[in-house]
Amino acid sequence: GEALDRFREAGAHDVDGVVGDAHPARAIDDVLLGRSYDEIVLSTLPPGVSRWLKLDLPHRVEQRFAGPVTTVIGARQPVG
């Protein structure tokens, strides 16, 4: 998809991704079944908007799954 193309344009050529369950931890569980990855990348909305950040999802994912977790937080778009 478009996100994978952007990762490749940024130099990350060995990337993969899927659209998964609406519950992020369940989606990660599904993807990790039978596969291993070097890193989990969470992409979320900015603070104040992101429900995932309010729920401390990045920290919870780090504790639940082995391996590094990188959180990419979107920038706020100017209004108007």
Side-chain angles (χ1 to χ4, degrees):
E2 186 177 328
L4 293 175
D5 291 340
R6 288 184 180 195
F7 280 122
R8 290 181 184 113
E9 288 170 7
H13 299 287
D14 190 21
V15 295
D16 190 15
V18 296
V19 176
D21 193 283
H23 188 276
R26 213 172 292 137
I28 295 168
D29 273 334
D30 291 345
V31 169
L32 293 179
L33 285 174
R35 300 183 212 173
S36 65
Y37 291 91
D38 296 328
E39 179 177 16
I40 296 171
V41 178
L42 297 174
S43 177
T44 186
L45 296 170
V49 179
S50 172
R51 190 170 60 94
W52 288 3
L53 292 176
K54 289 177 189 169
L55 296 173
D56 197 23
L57 180 69
H59 184 252
R60 291 173 46 214
V61 168
E62 285 177 347
Q63 289 183 326
R64 181 171 176 166
F65 301 98
V69 176
T70 298
T71 304
V72 178
I73 299 173
R76 289 188 182 268
Q77 296 296 319
V79 177

